[in-house]
Coordinates of all heavy atoms in Angstrom, one line a residue:
M517 N 0.8 -1.2 0.0 CA 0.0 0.0 0.0 C 0.9 1.3 0.1 O 0.5 2.3 -0.6 CB -0.9 0.0 1.3 CG -1.9 1.0 1.3 SD -3.1 0.9 -0.1 CE -4.4 1.9 0.4
E518 N 2.0 1.2 0.8 CA 2.9 2.4 0.8 C 3.5 2.6 -0.6 O 3.6 3.8 -0.9 CB 4.0 2.1 1.7 CG 3.9 2.7 3.1 CD 5.1 2.4 3.9 OE1 6.3 2.6 3.4 OE2 4.9 2.1 5.1
I519 N 3.8 1.7 -1.3 CA 4.4 1.8 -2.6 C 3.3 2.5 -3.6 O 3.7 3.4 -4.4 CB 4.9 0.5 -3.2 CG1 6.1 0.1 -2.5 CG2 5.2 0.6 -4.7 CD1 6.7 -1.3 -2.8
L520 N 2.0 2.1 -3.5 CA 1.0 2.6 -4.3 C 0.8 4.1 -4.0 O 0.7 4.9 -4.9 CB -0.3 1.9 -4.0 CG -1.5 2.2 -4.9 CD1 -1.1 2.0 -6.5 CD2 -2.6 1.5 -4.5
L521 N 0.8 4.5 -2.7 CA 0.7 5.9 -2.3 C 1.9 6.6 -2.8 O 1.7 7.8 -3.4 CB 0.6 6.1 -0.8 CG -0.7 5.5 -0.3 CD1 -0.7 5.6 1.2 CD2 -1.9 6.3 -0.8
L522 N 3.1 6.2 -2.7 CA 4.3 6.8 -3.2 C 4.2 7.0 -4.8 O 4.6 8.1 -5.3 CB 5.5 6.0 -2.9 CG 6.8 6.5 -3.3 CD1 7.1 7.9 -2.7 CD2 8.0 5.7 -2.9
Y523 N 3.7 6.0 -5.4 CA 3.5 6.1 -7.0 C 2.6 7.2 -7.3 O 2.9 8.0 -8.1 CB 3.0 4.7 -7.5 CG 2.4 4.9 -8.9 CD1 3.3 4.9 -10.0 CD2 1.0 5.0 -9.1 CE1 2.8 5.1 -11.2 CE2 0.5 5.1 -10.3 CZ 1.4 5.3 -11.4 OH 0.9 5.4 -12.7
F524 N 1.4 7.3 -6.6 CA 0.4 8.4 -6.9 C 1.0 9.7 -6.5 O 0.8 10.7 -7.3 CB -0.9 8.1 -6.1 CG -1.7 7.1 -6.9 CD1 -2.1 5.9 -6.3 CD2 -2.3 7.4 -8.1 CE1 -2.9 5.0 -6.8 CE2 -3.1 6.4 -8.7 CZ -3.3 5.3 -8.2
L525 N 1.8 9.8 -5.5 CA 2.4 11.1 -5.1 C 3.4 11.5 -6.2 O 3.3 12.7 -6.7 CB 3.1 11.0 -3.8 CG 3.9 12.2 -3.3 CD1 2.9 13.4 -3.1 CD2 4.7 11.9 -2.1
L526 N 4.2 10.6 -6.7 CA 5.2 10.9 -7.7 C 4.5 11.2 -9.1 O 4.9 12.3 -9.8 CB 6.2 9.7 -7.9 CG 7.1 9.6 -6.7 CD1 8.0 8.2 -7.0 CD2 8.1 10.8 -6.6
I527 N 3.6 10.5 -9.5 CA 2.9 10.8 -10.8 C 2.2 12.1 -10.8 O 2.2 12.9 -11.7 CB 1.9 9.7 -11.3 CG1 1.6 9.8 -12.7 CG2 0.7 9.5 -10.4 CD1 2.7 9.7 -13.6
N528 N 1.5 12.5 -9.6 CA 0.9 13.7 -9.5 C 1.9 14.9 -9.5 O 1.6 15.9 -10.0 CB 0.0 13.8 -8.3 CG -1.3 13.1 -8.6 OD1 -2.1 13.6 -9.3 ND2 -1.5 11.8 -8.2
I529 N 2.9 14.7 -8.8 CA 4.1 15.8 -8.8 C 4.6 16.0 -10.2 O 4.7 17.1 -10.7 CB 5.1 15.5 -7.8 CG1 4.6 15.7 -6.4 CG2 6.4 16.3 -8.1 CD1 5.6 15.1 -5.3
L530 N 4.8 14.8 -10.9 CA 5.4 14.9 -12.3 C 4.4 15.7 -13.2 O 4.8 16.5 -14.0 CB 5.7 13.5 -12.8 CG 7.1 13.0 -12.4 CD1 7.2 11.5 -12.8 CD2 8.1 13.8 -12.9
V531 N 3.1 15.2 -13.1 CA 2.2 15.8 -14.1 C 2.0 17.3 -13.8 O 1.8 18.1 -14.8 CB 0.8 15.0 -14.2 CG1 0.0 15.3 -13.0 CG2 0.1 15.4 -15.4
F532 N 2.0 17.7 -12.5 CA 2.0 19.1 -12.1 C 3.1 19.9 -12.7 O 3.0 21.0 -13.3 CB 1.9 19.2 -10.6 CG 1.8 20.6 -10.1 CD1 0.6 21.2 -10.0 CD2 2.9 21.4 -9.7 CE1 0.5 22.6 -9.6 CE2 2.8 22.7 -9.3 CZ 1.6 23.3 -9.2
I533 N 4.4 19.4 -12.6 CA 5.5 19.9 -13.1 C 5.5 20.1 -14.7 O 5.8 21.1 -15.3 CB 6.8 19.2 -12.7 CG1 7.1 19.5 -11.2 CG2 8.0 19.7 -13.5 CD1 8.0 18.6 -10.6
F534 N 5.1 18.9 -15.3 CA 4.9 19.0 -16.8 C 4.0 20.1 -17.3 O 4.2 20.7 -18.2 CB 4.5 17.6 -17.3 CG 5.6 16.6 -17.5 CD1 6.6 16.5 -16.6 CD2 5.7 15.8 -18.5 CE1 7.8 15.5 -16.7 CE2 6.7 14.9 -18.8 CZ 7.7 14.8 -17.9
A535 N 2.8 20.1 -16.6 CA 1.8 21.1 -17.0 C 2.3 22.5 -16.8 O 2.1 23.4 -17.6 CB 0.5 20.9 -16.3
G536 N 3.0 22.8 -15.7 CA 3.6 24.1 -15.4 C 4.6 24.4 -16.4 O 4.7 25.5 -16.9
Y537 N 5.4 23.5 -16.8 CA 6.5 23.6 -17.8 C 5.9 23.9 -19.2 O 6.3 24.9 -19.9 CB 7.4 22.5 -17.9 CG 8.4 22.5 -19.0 CD1 9.6 23.3 -18.8 CD2 8.3 21.8 -20.2 CE1 10.5 23.3 -19.8 CE2 9.2 21.9 -21.2 CZ 10.4 22.7 -21.0 OH 11.3 22.8 -22.0
D538 N 4.8 23.2 -19.4 CA 4.1 23.4 -20.7 C 3.6 24.8 -20.9 O 3.6 25.5 -21.8 CB 3.0 22.4 -20.9 CG 2.4 22.4 -22.3 OD1 3.1 22.4 -23.3 OD2 1.2 22.6 -22.4
K539 N 3.0 25.3 -19.8 CA 2.4 26.6 -19.7 C 3.5 27.7 -19.9 O 3.4 28.6 -20.7 CB 1.8 26.9 -18.4 CG 1.1 28.3 -18.2 CD 0.1 28.6 -19.2 CE -0.6 29.9 -18.9 NZ -1.8 30.2 -19.6
S540 N 4.7 27.4 -19.2 CA 5.8 28.3 -19.4 C 6.3 28.4 -20.9 O 6.6 29.4 -21.4 CB 7.0 27.8 -18.4 OG 8.1 28.5 -18.8
Q541 N 6.4 27.2 -21.5 CA 6.8 27.1 -22.9 C 5.8 27.8 -23.8 O 6.1 28.4 -24.8 CB 7.0 25.7 -23.3 CG 8.1 25.0 -22.6 CD 9.5 25.6 -23.0 OE1 9.9 26.5 -22.3 NE2 10.1 25.1 -24.0
A542 N 4.5 27.7 -23.4 CA 3.4 28.3 -24.3 C 3.6 29.8 -24.3 O 3.4 30.4 -25.3 CB 2.0 27.9 -23.8
R543 N 3.9 30.3 -23.1 CA 4.1 31.8 -23.0 C 5.3 32.3 -23.9 O 5.4 33.4 -24.4 CB 4.3 32.2 -21.6 CG 3.0 32.1 -20.7 CD 3.3 32.6 -19.4 NE 2.1 32.7 -18.6 CZ 2.0 32.5 -17.3 NH1 3.2 32.3 -16.6 NH2 0.9 32.5 -16.7
K544 N 6.3 31.5 -24.0 CA 7.5 31.8 -24.7 C 7.4 31.4 -26.2 O 8.4 31.6 -27.0 CB 8.8 31.1 -24.1 CG 9.0 31.5 -22.7 CD 10.1 30.7 -22.1 CE 10.3 30.8 -20.6 NZ 11.3 30.0 -20.1
N545 N 6.2 30.8 -26.6 CA 6.1 30.3 -28.0 C 7.2 29.3 -28.4 O 7.8 29.4 -29.4 CB 6.1 31.4 -29.0 CG 4.8 32.2 -29.0 OD1 3.8 31.6 -28.7 ND2 4.9 33.5 -29.1
K546 N 7.5 28.4 -27.4 CA 8.6 27.4 -27.6 C 7.9 26.0 -27.8 O 6.7 25.8 -27.5 CB 9.6 27.4 -26.6 CG 10.4 28.8 -26.6 CD 11.7 28.5 -25.9 CE 12.5 29.8 -26.0 NZ 13.8 29.7 -25.4
R547 N 8.8 25.0 -28.0 CA 8.3 23.7 -28.2 C 7.6 23.2 -26.8 O 8.1 23.5 -25.7 CB 9.5 22.7 -28.4 CG 9.1 21.3 -28.7 CD 10.3 20.5 -29.2 NE 10.1 19.2 -29.3 CZ 9.5 18.7 -30.4 NH1 9.4 19.4 -31.5 NH2 9.3 17.3 -30.5
R548 N 6.5 22.5 -27.0 CA 5.6 22.2 -25.9 C 5.5 20.8 -25.6 O 5.8 20.0 -26.5 CB 4.2 22.8 -26.0 CG 4.3 24.3 -26.4 CD 3.2 25.2 -26.0 NE 2.3 24.8 -25.1 CZ 1.0 25.0 -25.2 NH1 0.5 25.6 -26.3 NH2 0.1 24.6 -24.3
I549 N 5.0 20.4 -24.5 CA 4.6 19.0 -24.2 C 3.4 18.6 -24.9 O 2.4 19.3 -24.8 CB 4.4 18.8 -22.6 CG1 5.8 19.4 -22.0 CG2 4.0 17.5 -22.3 CD1 6.2 18.7 -20.7
P550 N 3.3 17.5 -25.6 CA 2.1 17.1 -26.3 C 1.0 16.8 -25.3 O 1.1 16.3 -24.2 CB 2.5 15.8 -26.9 CG 4.0 15.8 -27.0 CD 4.5 16.6 -25.8
E551 N -0.2 17.1 -25.7 CA -1.4 16.9 -24.9 C -1.6 15.5 -24.5 O -2.0 15.2 -23.5 CB -2.7 17.4 -25.5 CG -2.9 19.0 -25.6 CD -4.2 19.4 -26.2 OE1 -5.0 18.5 -26.5 OE2 -4.4 20.7 -26.1
N552 N -1.2 14.6 -25.5 CA -1.4 13.2 -25.2 C -0.5 12.8 -24.1 O -0.9 11.8 -23.3 CB -1.1 12.4 -26.5 CG -2.2 12.5 -27.5 OD1 -3.3 12.7 -27.1 ND2 -1.8 12.2 -28.7
T553 N 0.6 13.4 -23.9 CA 1.5 13.1 -22.8 C 0.8 13.5 -21.5 O 0.8 12.6 -20.4 CB 2.8 13.8 -22.8 OG1 3.5 13.4 -24.1 CG2 3.8 13.5 -21.7
L554 N 0.2 14.7 -21.4 CA -0.5 15.0 -20.2 C -1.7 14.1 -20.0 O -2.0 13.7 -18.8 CB -1.0 16.5 -20.3 CG 0.2 17.6 -20.4 CD1 -0.5 18.9 -20.7 CD2 1.0 17.6 -19.2
F555 N -2.5 13.7 -21.0 CA -3.6 12.8 -20.8 C -3.1 11.4 -20.3 O -3.8 10.8 -19.6 CB -4.4 12.7 -22.2 CG -5.2 14.0 -22.5 CD1 -5.2 14.4 -23.8 CD2 -6.0 14.5 -21.5 CE1 -5.9 15.5 -24.1 CE2 -6.7 15.7 -21.8 CZ -6.7 16.2 -23.0
F556 N -2.0 11.0 -20.8 CA -1.5 9.7 -20.4 C -1.2 9.7 -19.0 O -1.5 8.8 -18.2 CB -0.3 9.2 -21.3 CG 0.4 7.9 -20.8 CD1 -0.4 6.7 -21.0 CD2 1.5 7.9 -20.1 CE1 0.2 5.5 -20.6 CE2 2.0 6.7 -19.6 CZ 1.4 5.5 -19.9
M557 N -0.5 10.8 -18.6 CA -0.1 10.9 -17.1 C -1.4 11.0 -16.2 O -1.4 10.5 -15.1 CB 0.8 12.1 -16.9 CG 2.1 11.9 -17.6 SD 3.3 13.3 -17.5 CE 3.8 13.0 -15.8
E558 N -2.4 11.7 -16.7 CA -3.7 11.7 -16.0 C -4.2 10.3 -15.9 O -4.7 10.0 -14.9 CB -4.7 12.7 -16.7 CG -6.0 12.7 -16.0 CD -7.2 13.3 -16.8 OE1 -6.9 13.7 -18.0 OE2 -8.2 13.4 -16.3
L559 N -4.3 9.7 -17.0 CA -4.8 8.3 -17.0 C -4.2 7.3 -16.1 O -4.8 6.5 -15.5 CB -4.8 7.7 -18.5 CG -5.4 6.4 -18.8 CD1 -6.9 6.5 -18.6 CD2 -5.0 5.9 -20.1
I560 N -2.9 7.4 -15.9 CA -2.2 6.5 -15.0 C -2.2 6.9 -13.6 O -1.4 6.5 -12.7 CB -0.8 6.1 -15.5 CG1 0.1 7.4 -15.6 CG2 -0.9 5.5 -16.8 CD1 1.5 7.0 -15.9
G561 N -3.0 8.0 -13.2 CA -3.2 8.3 -11.9 C -2.9 9.8 -11.5 O -2.9 10.2 -10.3
G562 N -2.6 10.6 -12.5 CA -2.2 12.0 -12.3 C -3.4 13.0 -12.4 O -3.1 14.2 -12.5
T563 N -4.6 12.6 -12.2 CA -5.7 13.5 -12.3 C -5.7 14.6 -11.4 O -5.8 15.8 -11.8 CB -7.0 12.8 -12.2 OG1 -7.1 11.8 -13.3 CG2 -8.2 13.6 -12.4
P564 N -5.4 14.3 -10.0 CA -5.3 15.5 -9.1 C -4.2 16.5 -9.5 O -4.5 17.7 -9.3 CB -5.2 14.8 -7.7 CG -5.6 13.4 -7.8 CD -5.4 13.1 -9.3
G565 N -3.1 16.0 -9.8 CA -2.0 16.8 -10.1 C -2.3 17.7 -11.3 O -1.9 18.9 -11.4
L566 N -2.9 17.1 -12.4 CA -3.2 17.9 -13.6 C -4.2 18.9 -13.3 O -4.1 20.0 -13.7 CB -3.6 16.9 -14.7 CG -3.8 17.6 -16.1 CD1 -2.6 18.4 -16.6 CD2 -4.2 16.6 -17.1
L567 N -5.2 18.5 -12.6 CA -6.4 19.4 -12.3 C -5.8 20.6 -11.4 O -6.2 21.8 -11.6 CB -7.5 18.7 -11.4 CG -8.6 19.6 -11.0 CD1 -9.3 20.3 -12.2 CD2 -9.6 18.8 -10.2
T568 N -5.0 20.3 -10.5 CA -4.3 21.4 -9.6 C -3.5 22.3 -10.5 O -3.6 23.6 -10.4 CB -3.4 20.8 -8.5 OG1 -4.3 19.9 -7.7 CG2 -2.8 21.8 -7.6
A569 N -2.7 21.8 -11.4 CA -1.9 22.6 -12.3 C -2.8 23.4 -13.3 O -2.5 24.6 -13.5 CB -1.1 21.7 -13.2
M570 N -3.8 22.9 -13.7 CA -4.8 23.6 -14.6 C -5.4 24.9 -13.8 O -5.5 25.9 -14.4 CB -5.9 22.7 -15.0 CG -5.5 21.7 -16.1 SD -6.8 20.5 -16.5 CE -8.1 21.4 -17.1
L571 N -5.7 24.6 -12.6 CA -6.4 25.8 -11.8 C -5.3 26.8 -11.4 O -5.5 28.0 -11.5 CB -7.0 25.2 -10.6 CG -8.2 24.2 -10.8 CD1 -8.7 23.6 -9.5 CD2 -9.3 25.0 -11.6
I572 N -4.2 26.3 -11.0 CA -3.1 27.3 -10.5 C -2.4 28.0 -11.6 O -2.3 29.2 -11.5 CB -2.0 26.5 -9.7 CG1 -2.6 26.1 -8.4 CG2 -0.7 27.3 -9.5 CD1 -1.6 25.2 -7.5
F573 N -2.1 27.4 -12.7 CA -1.5 28.0 -13.9 C -2.5 28.6 -14.9 O -2.0 29.2 -15.9 CB -0.5 27.0 -14.5 CG 0.6 26.5 -13.6 CD1 0.8 25.1 -13.6 CD2 1.4 27.3 -12.9 CE1 1.7 24.6 -12.7 CE2 2.4 26.8 -12.1 CZ 2.5 25.4 -11.9
R574 N -3.7 28.3 -14.7 CA -4.8 28.5 -15.6 C -4.4 28.0 -17.0 O -4.4 28.8 -18.0 CB -5.1 30.1 -15.7 CG -5.7 30.6 -14.5 CD -6.2 32.0 -14.8 NE -5.8 32.8 -13.6 CZ -6.0 34.1 -13.6 NH1 -6.6 34.7 -14.6 NH2 -5.6 34.8 -12.6
H575 N -4.0 26.8 -17.0 CA -3.5 26.2 -18.2 C -4.6 25.2 -18.8 O -5.1 24.3 -18.1 CB -2.2 25.3 -17.9 CG -1.5 24.8 -19.1 ND1 -1.3 25.6 -20.1 CD2 -1.0 23.6 -19.3 CE1 -0.5 24.8 -21.0 NE2 -0.4 23.7 -20.6
K576 N -4.8 25.5 -20.0 CA -5.8 24.6 -20.9 C -7.2 24.8 -20.3 O -8.1 24.1 -20.8 CB -5.4 23.2 -20.9 CG -4.0 22.9 -21.3 CD -3.9 22.8 -22.8 CE -2.6 22.2 -23.2 NZ -2.5 22.3 -24.7
T577 N -7.5 25.7 -19.5 CA -8.8 25.9 -19.0 C -9.8 26.5 -19.9 O -11.1 26.4 -19.7 CB -8.8 26.8 -17.7 OG1 -8.2 28.0 -17.9 CG2 -8.1 26.1 -16.6
S578 N -9.4 27.1 -21.0 CA -10.3 27.6 -22.0 C -10.3 26.9 -23.3 O -11.0 27.2 -24.2 CB -9.9 29.1 -22.3 OG -8.6 29.1 -22.9
K579 N -9.7 25.7 -23.3 CA -9.6 24.9 -24.4 C -10.7 23.7 -24.2 O -10.4 22.8 -23.5 CB -8.3 24.4 -24.7 CG -8.1 23.6 -26.0 CD -6.7 23.2 -26.3 CE -6.6 22.6 -27.6 NZ -5.2 22.1 -27.9
T580 N -11.8 23.9 -24.9 CA -12.9 23.0 -24.7 C -12.6 21.5 -24.9 O -12.9 20.6 -24.1 CB -14.1 23.4 -25.6 OG1 -14.4 24.8 -25.3 CG2 -15.3 22.6 -25.3
S581 N -11.9 21.2 -26.0 CA -11.4 19.9 -26.3 C -10.6 19.2 -25.2 O -10.9 18.0 -24.9 CB -10.8 19.7 -27.6 OG -9.5 20.4 -27.6
F582 N -9.8 20.0 -24.6 CA -9.0 19.5 -23.6 C -9.8 19.2 -22.3 O -9.7 18.2 -21.6 CB -7.8 20.5 -23.2 CG -6.7 19.9 -22.3 CD1 -5.6 19.2 -22.7 CD2 -6.9 20.1 -20.9 CE1 -4.7 18.8 -21.9 CE2 -5.9 19.6 -20.0 CZ -4.9 18.9 -20.5
I583 N -10.7 20.1 -22.0 CA -11.6 19.9 -20.8 C -12.5 18.7 -21.0 O -12.6 17.9 -20.0 CB -12.4 21.2 -20.5 CG1 -11.6 22.4 -20.3 CG2 -13.5 21.0 -19.4 CD1 -10.8 22.4 -19.0
V584 N -12.9 18.5 -22.2 CA -13.9 17.3 -22.4 C -13.1 16.1 -22.3 O -13.5 15.2 -21.5 CB -14.5 17.5 -23.8 CG1 -15.1 16.2 -24.2 CG2 -15.4 18.6 -23.9
K585 N -11.9 16.0 -22.8 CA -11.1 14.8 -22.7 C -10.7 14.5 -21.3 O -10.7 13.4 -20.8 CB -9.8 14.8 -23.6 CG -10.1 14.8 -25.1 CD -8.9 15.0 -26.0 CE -9.3 15.3 -27.4 NZ -8.2 15.7 -28.2
F586 N -10.2 15.7 -20.5 CA -9.9 15.5 -19.1 C -11.1 15.0 -18.3 O -10.9 14.1 -17.5 CB -9.5 17.0 -18.6 CG -9.2 16.9 -17.1 CD1 -7.9 16.7 -16.7 CD2 -10.2 17.1 -16.2 CE1 -7.7 16.6 -15.3 CE2 -9.9 17.1 -14.8 CZ -8.7 16.9 -14.3
T587 N -12.3 15.5 -18.6 CA -13.4 15.0 -17.8 C -13.8 13.6 -18.1 O -14.1 12.9 -17.2 CB -14.6 16.0 -18.3 OG1 -14.3 17.3 -17.9 CG2 -15.9 15.7 -17.4
V588 N -13.7 13.2 -19.4 CA -13.9 11.8 -19.7 C -13.0 10.8 -19.0 O -13.5 9.8 -18.4 CB -13.8 11.5 -21.3 CG1 -13.8 10.1 -21.6 CG2 -15.0 12.3 -22.0
I589 N -11.7 11.1 -19.0 CA -10.8 10.3 -18.3 C -11.1 10.3 -16.7 O -11.1 9.2 -16.2 CB -9.3 10.8 -18.5 CG1 -8.9 10.6 -20.0 CG2 -8.4 10.1 -17.6 CD1 -7.6 11.2 -20.3
F590 N -11.5 11.5 -16.3 CA -11.8 11.5 -14.7 C -13.0 10.6 -14.5 O -13.0 10.0 -13.6 CB -12.1 13.0 -14.4 CG -12.6 13.1 -13.1 CD1 -11.8 12.9 -11.9 CD2 -13.9 13.4 -12.7 CE1 -12.3 13.0 -10.6 CE2 -14.5 13.5 -11.5 CZ -13.6 13.3 -10.4
L591 N -14.1 10.8 -15.3 CA -15.2 10.0 -15.1 C -15.0 8.4 -15.2 O -15.6 7.7 -14.4 CB -16.4 10.4 -16.1 CG -16.9 11.8 -15.9 CD1 -17.9 12.2 -16.9 CD2 -17.6 11.9 -14.5
I592 N -14.2 8.1 -16.2 CA -13.8 6.7 -16.2 C -13.1 6.2 -15.0 O -13.5 5.1 -14.5 CB -13.0 6.4 -17.5 CG1 -13.8 6.6 -18.8 CG2 -12.3 5.0 -17.5 CD1 -13.0 6.6 -20.1
Q593 N -12.2 7.0 -14.5 CA -11.5 6.7 -13.3 C -12.5 6.6 -12.1 O -12.4 5.6 -11.3 CB -10.4 7.7 -13.0 CG -9.3 7.6 -13.9 CD -8.3 8.7 -13.7 OE1 -8.6 9.8 -13.2 NE2 -7.0 8.4 -14.1
A594 N -13.4 7.5 -12.0 CA -14.4 7.5 -11.0 C -15.2 6.3 -11.0 O -15.5 5.7 -9.9 CB -15.3 8.8 -11.0
V595 N -15.8 5.9 -12.2 CA -16.6 4.6 -12.2 C -15.7 3.4 -11.8 O -16.2 2.5 -11.1 CB -17.1 4.5 -13.7 CG1 -17.6 3.2 -14.0 CG2 -18.1 5.6 -14.1
L596 N -14.5 3.3 -12.4 CA -13.6 2.2 -12.0 C -13.4 2.1 -10.4 O -13.5 1.1 -9.8 CB -12.3 2.3 -12.7 CG -12.4 1.9 -14.2 CD1 -11.0 2.3 -14.9 CD2 -12.9 0.6 -14.4
V597 N -13.1 3.2 -9.8 CA -12.9 3.2 -8.4 C -14.3 2.8 -7.6 O -14.2 2.0 -6.8 CB -12.6 4.7 -7.9 CG1 -12.7 4.8 -6.3 CG2 -11.1 5.0 -8.4
Y598 N -15.4 3.3 -8.1 CA -16.7 2.9 -7.6 C -16.9 1.4 -7.7 O -17.3 0.7 -6.7 CB -17.9 3.7 -8.3 CG -19.2 3.2 -7.8 CD1 -19.7 3.5 -6.6 CD2 -19.9 2.3 -8.6 CE1 -20.9 3.0 -6.1 CE2 -21.2 1.9 -8.3 CZ -21.7 2.2 -7.0 OH -22.9 1.7 -6.6
L599 N -16.7 0.9 -8.9 CA -16.9 -0.5 -9.1 C -15.9 -1.4 -8.2 O -16.3 -2.4 -7.7 CB -16.7 -0.9 -10.6 CG -17.7 -0.3 -11.6 CD1 -17.4 -0.5 -13.0 CD2 -19.1 -0.9 -11.2
K600 N -14.7 -1.0 -8.1 CA -13.7 -1.6 -7.2 C -14.2 -1.5 -5.8 O -14.1 -2.5 -5.1 CB -12.4 -1.0 -7.4 CG -11.3 -1.7 -6.6 CD -11.0 -3.1 -7.1 CE -9.9 -3.7 -6.4 NZ -9.9 -5.1 -6.5
L601 N -14.6 -0.4 -5.3 CA -15.0 -0.2 -3.9 C -16.3 -1.0 -3.6 O -16.5 -1.5 -2.5 CB -15.2 1.2 -3.5 CG -14.0 2.0 -3.4 CD1 -14.3 3.5 -3.2 CD2 -13.1 1.6 -2.4
T602 N -17.1 -1.3 -4.5 CA -18.3 -2.0 -4.3 C -18.2 -3.6 -4.8 O -19.1 -4.3 -4.9 CB -19.5 -1.5 -5.1 OG1 -19.2 -1.4 -6.5 CG2 -19.9 0.0 -4.6
D603 N -16.9 -4.0 -5.0 CA -16.6 -5.3 -5.3 C -17.3 -5.8 -6.5 O -17.7 -7.0 -6.6 CB -16.8 -6.3 -4.1 CG -15.9 -6.0 -3.0 OD1 -14.7 -5.7 -3.2 OD2 -16.4 -6.2 -1.9
K604 N -17.5 -4.9 -7.5 CA -18.1 -5.3 -8.7 C -17.0 -5.7 -9.8 O -17.4 -6.2 -10.9 CB -19.1 -4.4 -9.3 CG -20.3 -4.2 -8.3 CD -21.3 -3.3 -8.8 CE -22.4 -3.3 -7.7 NZ -23.5 -2.4 -8.0
I605 N -15.8 -5.4 -9.5 CA -14.7 -5.8 -10.4 C -13.5 -6.3 -9.5 O -13.5 -6.1 -8.4 CB -14.2 -4.6 -11.3 CG1 -13.6 -3.5 -10.6 CG2 -15.2 -4.3 -12.3 CD1 -13.0 -2.4 -11.3

């Protein structure tokens, strides 16, 4: 259980840093982190970190397609957690 918590802590810190770096690069009109990278990191457990970065850095909050994809991944994760907690999977 400790390893799982450490994993979630690390992935959330990483996705937060990546999103902050991406925002910094966007302001400078330089090479950016692909959205698919951010979505993959969210998918493997980085949802809280990405959401926090989006709110703090105001990153990708006005891009509807990003918000929709973020929400879909979040909802899938929520359903999976619910199913696991109710012993249906």
